[in-house]
Amino acid sequence: MKIEDTWKSLPEQEERLTGAEIRAGLNLKSEDAVRKLNKRMAWKIAFTILFTPLYIAAMFYVDSWLPQLLFGIITIAHIVGLIFFIKRYQKAKSFDMGSGDSMSTLEAYISNIKETIRQEEMAGLVLYPISAASGFFLSLLQKRSLEEALGDTRILITLVILLIVITPLSHWAARWMNRKTFNKYLNLLEGRLAQMRDNS
């Protein structure tokens, strides 16, 4: 067969696709995106489980009350975060994309993922300065006592500058990571949702 004949035959093959087949293809893409988003939610649980013991160990490693308090706050926050991610993950897994009202189900699923990301990023704004301060004192107290550190104005100024710089940078980095991790598949699902609305 000539190349020209092959090329001319392609539109005819595309026209043979029924509306049901096209919708099935879109559903498969949606289900694949959902699986990948759920997998990325599971990653957040895994990373939280991985890092929480490190903060617990650090809390017992230091012998000054302030870094112990800071690491204790971070540990509690990670445990709360772990419970939060598990509940959100279970909720994400509970959505049945093949249910009768698939448009409402998909809309609720997207909202759950977006709200999970938003709450995580808001919590980070509180935890980033605490984490930076705990790391700062962990390093500093290797060389001097807590009383000496708190009594040195230059150290306190350095700490304030560190917190001012680290907090927005960490927030930006977290948002960038979430966009890289989730946006591709969220955009696909939102495109699918828009198609469903147009066809309804």
Side-chain angles (χ1 to χ4, degrees), residues 156-166:
L156 297 179
I157 292 173
T158 302
L159 174 60
V160 170
I161 294 172
L162 175 68
L163 300 184
I164 292 172
V165 172
I166 287 290

Side-chain angles (χ1 to χ4, degrees), residues 2-116:
K2 294 181 180 179
I3 295 176
E4 291 89 350
D5 295 333
T6 305
W7 177 257
K8 288 177 183 177
S9 70
L10 289 176
E12 296 175 3
Q13 292 176 357
E14 288 178 355
E15 288 173 2
R16 292 173 193 165
L17 292 174
T18 65
E21 288 172 331
I22 293 171
R23 285 192 296 274
L26 289 171
N27 282 333
L28 285 174
K29 288 181 181 179
S30 298
E31 289 172 5
D32 186 55
V34 166
R35 281 195 296 270
K36 288 181 178 178
L37 284 169
N38 288 347
K39 189 174 182 179
R40 281 153 177 75
M41 289 278 284
W43 289 354
K44 287 190 175 290
I45 295 172
F47 281 123
T48 305
I49 292 173
L50 178 66
F51 285 106
T52 300
L54 299 178
Y55 292 116
I56 296 173
M59 182 172 60
F60 287 103
Y61 173 76
V62 295
D63 57 2
S64 297
W65 68 269
L66 182 55
Q68 285 177 340
L69 174 63
L70 295 174
F71 281 117
I73 292 171
I74 296 169
T75 299
I76 292 170
H78 271 68
I79 293 171
V80 171
L82 179 60
I83 295 169
F84 169 76
F85 283 131
I86 289 173
K87 287 184 176 180
R88 288 288 178 165
Y89 176 72
Q90 290 174 336
K91 185 176 181 181
K93 293 280 285 184
S94 71
F95 288 108
D96 181 10
M97 295 302 162
S99 64
D101 190 0
S102 56
M103 187 165 70
S104 296
T105 302
L106 183 57
E107 190 172 17
Y109 179 84
I110 293 170
S111 177
N112 178 60
I113 297 293
K114 284 188 168 183
E115 185 62 17
T116 301

Side-chain angles (χ1 to χ4, degrees), residues 97-184:
M97 295 302 162
S99 64
D101 190 0
S102 56
M103 187 165 70
S104 296
T105 302
L106 183 57
E107 190 172 17
Y109 179 84
I110 293 170
S111 177
N112 178 60
I113 297 293
K114 284 188 168 183
E115 185 62 17
T116 301
I117 295 169
R118 189 189 71 81
Q119 290 191 30
E120 179 200 18
E121 291 175 353
M122 293 300 294
L125 283 173
V126 177
L127 286 178
Y128 298 139
I130 297 174
S131 297
S134 62
F136 180 82
F137 282 111
L138 178 63
S139 175
L140 186 66
L141 296 181
Q142 305 298 318
K143 300 178 181 178
R144 61 181 69 195
S145 68
L146 178 62
E147 290 73 20
E148 290 174 336
L150 294 177
D152 192 328
T153 305
R154 292 173 301 176
I155 289 177
L156 297 179
I157 292 173
T158 302
L159 174 60
V160 170
I161 294 172
L162 175 68
L163 300 184
I164 292 172
V165 172
I166 287 290
T167 300
L169 281 178
S170 298
H171 182 62
W172 175 85
R175 294 191 66 184
W176 180 83
M177 285 295 295
N178 279 332
R179 285 196 299 270
K180 293 289 286 184
T181 304
F182 291 96
N183 273 19
K184 176 182 176 181

